[in-house]
Amino acid sequence: MARIVSGAVPSPNIWNTPQIYELENLAVGPAGAAEAAMRALMRPWDGATVVEIGCGSGFHLPALAASAGRVVGVEPHGGLAAQAAARCASLPNVSVRTGTAQALPLPDASADVAIARWAYFFGPGCEPGLRELGRVLRRGGAAFVVDVDASRGAFGRWFRRSLPSYSPEAVERFWSRQGWRREDLDLRMTFRSRADLEAVLRIEFTPEVAGEALREVEGLDVDYPNVLRWREF
């Protein structure tokens, strides 16, 4: 059984079914849209030290490594961290470490950019992780959080129905109080087959909601509204 770092918040979709989550990563497009939006908001990060928090199996690390001077992936699930390390074994500027957002295994002021994708959904409760960003980022650095925008579109409606306790309004108030800015990020999932689409919807939503979503979706495309949040340090 894979070791999971103490204090990690469970992420059932990728922890339980990493092979299906890989299909989800492959489907999300247009390619590089999130990275392009991040890079447009700060000084160039070519040659910078970039940290991805909650890097999972390392899907995004090679793309980051193409321009960054150094990339560090941090992942609390030992099995996924091992997959990420194997994926990046041929990339000398990438390292992967096990750790949590609230106790990053990095020295003070050692990174220029921090990125967390689909890891900070809930707002309240994330304060320890946000304090850690202030510790590890250098002056002038920036942190980015990409999350589902549960206030928009069919995907947002399915998300809210699967998790009725989730309040997009409360989450938005939290990030605003913390001093983060935001902009809409309009992504789209395009699958290679209906089987892949069905598999992904079934790891993201309750069985009832996944069935509803499958009846609504025609073809292989799903609009995927996200929000990009950022803050400079």
Side-chain angles (χ1 to χ4, degrees):
M1 185 173 180
R3 175 179 175 268
I4 298 172
V5 178
S6 177
V9 176
S11 184
N13 52 6
I14 188 170
W15 285 15
N16 297 340
T17 53
Q19 71 282 5
I20 297 177
Y21 199 83
E22 184 83 0
L23 297 176
E24 183 168 348
N25 276 325
L26 288 167
V28 175
E35 287 80 358
M38 294 179 217
R39 292 174 74 97
L41 292 170
M42 67 169 289
R43 61 181 174 77
W45 70 43
D46 293 350
T49 296
V50 178
V51 179
E52 183 167 25
I53 302 166
C55 70
S57 61
F59 182 88
H60 298 283
L61 298 179
L64 294 173
S67 59
R70 179 181 175 224
V71 176
V72 181
V74 178
E75 170 57 44
H77 188 288
L80 291 173
Q83 291 181 40
R87 178 177 233 143
C88 299
S90 65
L91 301 174
N93 62 333
V94 178
S95 60
V96 178
R97 302 176 183 175
T98 54
T100 62
Q102 64 268 33
L104 294 169
L106 295 166
D108 294 353
S110 59
D112 302 295
V113 180
I115 299 170
R117 304 172 202 255
W118 309 302
Y120 279 95
F121 290 109
F122 299 103
C126 294
E127 293 89 344
L130 300 185
R131 285 194 292 271
E132 271 290 85
L133 293 175
R135 181 184 69 80
V136 303
L137 285 167
R138 298 186 179 107
R139 186 177 180 86
F144 298 95
V145 170
V146 179
D147 269 338
V148 172
D149 187 346
S151 70
R152 294 194 289 142
F155 200 98
R157 171 167 48 83
W158 302 331
F159 188 97
R160 296 192 307 273
R161 284 202 56 210
S162 290
L163 196 65
S165 62
Y166 185 88
S167 168
E169 296 78 15
V171 170
E172 196 60 42
R173 288 194 298 270
F174 168 84
W175 287 104
S176 180
R177 288 196 303 269
Q178 297 292 324
W180 289 62
R181 291 175 283 177
R182 61 154 288 158
E183 68 176 43
D184 290 347
L185 189 59
D186 295 319
L187 303 179
R188 190 171 182 82
M189 294 187 193
T190 300
F191 294 91
R192 293 176 294 184
S193 70
R194 285 289 292 189
D196 288 354
L197 183 153
E198 178 174 352
V200 167
L201 293 184
R202 291 199 183 282
I203 69 167
E204 292 296 345
F205 306 120
T206 63
E208 179 185 0
V209 173
E212 173 189 310
L214 286 164
R215 289 189 292 273
E216 287 187 43
V217 175
E218 297 181 359
L220 302 177
D221 295 336
V222 178
D223 288 332
Y224 187 42
N226 272 233
V227 57
L228 173 63
R229 307 185 193 278
W230 77 96
R231 181 185 169 191
E232 297 171 342
F233 286 78

